[in-house]
Structure formats: C-alpha cells, structure tokens
Amino acid sequence: MIEYSTLLENFVKLLKENKLKFTKQRELILKTLYDNDGHFSTDDIYAMLKEEHPELNIGIATVYRTLSLLEDAGLALSISFGKDGKIYELGLKKHHDHLICQSCREIIEFVDEVIEEKQKEIAKKHNFKMLDHTMKIVGLCEKCQKIDNI
Amino acid sequence: MIEYSTLLENFVKLLKENKLKFTKQRELILKTLYDNDGHFSTDDIYAMLKEEHPELNIGIATVYRTLSLLEDAGLALSISFGKDGKIYELGLKKHHDHLICQSCREIIEFVDEVIEEKQKEIAKKHNFKMLDHTMKIVGLCEKCQKIDNI
DNA sequence: GTTAGTGCAAATCGTTTGCACGGTT
DNA sequence: AACCGTGCAAACGATTTGCACTAAC
C-alpha cells in the first residue's frame, strides 16, 4: 500500500497543477479515506469529520464537492447500488470487484483475472471502447445467513 | 420468448394471490415493457403511456408504484447507474449483463457462461449466499467512438 | 359494500448551487 | 491583492406519501 505522505504529495501536486487550493478540509477527507481503509458514504465521512474534528465545522456540501474532486482526480472511486447507495473508497488500489452483504452491508473485495480477461474480450467483440466496468455480487455473508435462518 | 397472454395470466394470478387488484394501469405498464423490448426509465414509460393512452390520464406516482411492484414480483428488473440512471426491463429473460454506451446510452445485452461460473465460485469461496449479481461494462459504442474523435 | 388503487399535490431526501465571507496563494 | 473554497441556506430533481375519490372485487 502507498504511504500516506506519498499520497499527500501527489494530491498537493495535482491541486497545484490545476490551480486549486490545498485546504484543511480537502486534506482531512483524503486522510479519512486513507486511514479507515474501507467503504464510506458521503454522510459517513461527514459524520466522522464532525466527530473527530468538530473545530473544523465542516459542511456537508464540502464533503460532496471534495469526494467528487477526489474521484475526478482518480484518488477515490465510488460504487453505487440501489437508491441511496453510493459509497467511496480510496482509489489507488488495483482494480477489484465487490461482494456486498445485503443485510449487514459488509463488503468484501475480490479480483478474478479470468473475469477481467473475459470482459475485455466481450467489449472487443462488440466494438466497445471499455472505459469502466463493475461487478457486484449481492447476497448474504456467512454471519447473516445464520441470523436470517433463525 | 414468452407469449404475452401467458405473462398476463401469471400476472393476474400473482395479483390474486396477494389480494391485489388488476387495473388498466398495471396491465398497460406490463404491456409497454413487453411490447417495446428494451430498457426504459420510469419517465420513459410515463411518457409512452401519456402519448399512447391519453384517456387514462395516468399519474407518475402510479408508474413508480407499478414498476416497483413488477420488480418485487420478478416480472421486471432494474439496472441502476450513476445518479439518475435507473432503467427497467422485462424480467423474464435469461440472466444477462450489460454493455452501456456512456455517450448515446445504447445498451447491449450479453451472457458469458465463464463469468457466470466464476461468480458462483467466488461467492462460494467467501461463504456468501449469492442472491443477485450484476456486471456492467461502461464505455463508448462503435458509433460514439468515431463521433468523439472528430 | 368493502378494500385497494389512483391522481394529485405536498413532502421528503440526497445532492447541488448561489452567495457573502474567510483562507490560501 | 486576487482568487478559490467554504459554510450556510435555498434550490433542485427524483421519488414517496397522505388524502379524497374511484374502480375492482
């Protein structure tokens, strides 16, 4: 995994290149994604920052704006599902897909080279230029299967 | 492909079983999905019904309610993408995945048995009970690649 | 006659935007 | 000093809901 200091350097450079400013808010949102290696909704991140940095008095609009900025920059990526289901994660990992537990919302990441390869083939066969691809397996994790059977 | 009359019978039966009523609105929404083999947003269907059956004076709320009902019943299924991107299709076909053109919104369906098999394996390996799975390849179709290069 | 469905308009919820102010360059 | 980012509150757009009325049973 990339060091936080390196990540931060990249971010600062990227901002500079685009004549954007480096603010405490932007830094903390990036850091939150980095430190809490996981998947969070805009609101999750807003709540975490409210909790951990109340002095910032951050606004939800800033969280929306920043996550969107990070996504455009390739530093974060989002997964959407059903209505009201959009979560972000740090965008620097190798491409991977997700298993999502419908009940507890646990998320497991996985990579399968055979599937990756097949997807390329399919796009090619249909003369599509593939820009993005996502796969989600929704179901019940081990724990929730047991609970649901009670 | 299933006959419309059979589909309708199933629908009527299903409604009866759940003490729900068979209305003109419900029938026409199902028929619209059946006749126009494709992928439509709630608004698309609303517009089509306004156009083709102005005497019905259908309300958008009914379209939302009915599509949701059809989805629960397994007669329709939805695909979501990015904000404001939810479309429905008739839900009686064999499972398939989608190639989506980012530019013109063309949608191509495909099935790949190798991928299907791999997904089962992955769920099993993680002790997940797979309930649903979706794969989307987003990109540019042949036509739009050319246009975008001008 | 009872119950469920409908259209309408209002409410809701996540997200975006305009603006005046404050922070970064 | 110039300009961008921020918080706030208002605006927005898709979807949902409460209600009185109508249609299906």
Side-chain angles (χ1 to χ4, degrees):
Chain A
M1 191 61 177
I2 191 175
E3 290 284 329
Y4 181 64
S5 56
T6 314
L7 175 58
L8 192 57
E9 263 174 46
N10 292 344
F11 186 38
V12 170
K13 201 175 119 198
L14 205 140
L15 290 171
K16 200 160 280 172
E17 282 169 8
N18 291 282
K19 297 201 215 310
L20 301 172
K21 288 173 181 168
F22 179 67
T23 65
K24 226 181 188 65
Q25 287 84 341
R26 286 178 177 170
E27 210 237 295
L28 282 172
I29 289 170
L30 181 64
K31 192 164 193 321
T32 301
L33 278 179
Y34 183 89
D35 288 344
N36 305 277
D37 180 37
H39 303 79
F40 305 102
S41 69
T42 308
D43 228 57
D44 290 339
I45 292 174
Y46 176 62
M48 288 158 95
L49 288 175
K50 276 276 187 210
E51 172 78 23
E52 289 164 35
H53 301 275
E55 78 286 359
L56 247 196
N57 195 22
I58 199 167
I60 187 84
T62 299
V63 181
Y64 275 105
R65 286 186 278 229
T66 303
L67 286 172
S68 177
L69 169 71
L70 288 172
E71 188 169 19
D72 289 347
L75 298 179
L77 56 84
S78 68
I79 320 162
S80 317
F81 36 118
K83 183 157 165 49
D84 300 355
K86 183 169 190 178
I87 53 181
Y88 286 88
E89 62 180 336
L90 201 57
L92 298 167
K93 312 181 194 174
K94 198 169 171 337
H95 170 79
H96 57 266
D97 295 302
H98 298 92
L99 272 159
I100 303 172
C101 176
Q102 203 170 66
S103 177
C104 70
R105 293 262 160 151
E106 185 194 2
I107 293 177
I108 295 175
E109 300 175 353
F110 68 89
V111 190
D112 186 292
E113 287 308 332
V114 175
I115 292 178
E116 295 299 310
E117 205 44 55
K118 274 281 167 190
Q119 291 181 123
K120 279 182 210 156
E121 268 177 43
I122 290 161
K124 194 168 180 183
K125 194 166 84 190
H126 291 278
N127 296 314
F128 250 69
K129 179 174 183 173
M130 180 162 82
L131 298 175
D132 190 20
H133 59 281
T134 58
M135 193 176 123
K136 284 175 301 203
I137 299 181
V138 179
L140 291 173
C141 71
E142 203 171 356
K143 240 181 284 174
C144 292
Q145 284 172 52
K146 288 179 192 153
I147 294 169
D148 286 11
N149 283 335
I150 293 175
Chain B
M1 190 62 177
I2 190 174
E3 290 284 329
Y4 180 65
S5 55
T6 314
L7 175 57
L8 192 55
E9 264 173 46
N10 292 343
F11 186 38
V12 171
K13 201 175 118 198
L14 205 138
L15 289 171
K16 201 159 282 173
E17 282 168 6
N18 291 282
K19 299 198 212 309
L20 300 172
K21 290 174 180 166
F22 178 66
T23 65
K24 227 184 185 64
Q25 288 83 342
R26 288 178 174 170
E27 210 237 295
L28 282 172
I29 289 170
L30 180 65
K31 192 163 194 322
T32 302
L33 278 179
Y34 183 89
D35 287 345
N36 304 277
D37 181 35
H39 303 79
F40 305 101
S41 69
T42 308
D43 226 58
D44 290 340
I45 292 174
Y46 176 63
M48 286 158 96
L49 289 175
K50 276 277 188 209
E51 173 79 23
E52 289 164 35
H53 301 275
E55 77 286 359
L56 247 195
N57 196 21
I58 198 166
I60 186 85
T62 298
V63 182
Y64 276 105
R65 286 187 277 229
T66 303
L67 286 172
S68 178
L69 170 71
L70 289 172
E71 188 169 18
D72 289 346
L75 298 180
L77 56 84
S78 66
I79 320 162
S80 315
F81 37 116
K83 184 159 163 44
D84 300 355
K86 182 169 190 178
I87 53 181
Y88 286 87
E89 62 179 335
L90 200 59
L92 297 166
K93 311 182 196 173
K94 200 170 168 340
H95 171 79
H96 58 266
D97 295 301
H98 298 92
L99 273 158
I100 303 172
C101 177
Q102 202 171 66
S103 177
C104 70
R105 296 261 159 149
E106 186 194 1
I107 293 177
I108 296 175
E109 300 174 354
F110 68 89
V111 190
D112 186 291
E113 287 308 332
V114 177
I115 291 178
E116 296 297 311
E117 206 41 58
K118 275 280 166 191
Q119 288 176 334
K120 280 182 209 155
E121 267 177 45
I122 290 161
K124 195 168 180 183
K125 195 166 81 188
H126 291 278
N127 295 313
F128 250 69
K129 178 175 183 175
M130 181 161 82
L131 299 175
D132 190 21
H133 58 281
T134 58
M135 194 176 122
K136 284 177 299 202
I137 299 180
V138 179
L140 291 173
C141 72
E142 201 170 358
K143 239 182 282 173
C144 291
Q145 284 171 52
K146 288 178 190 152
I147 294 168
D148 287 10
N149 284 335
I150 291 172

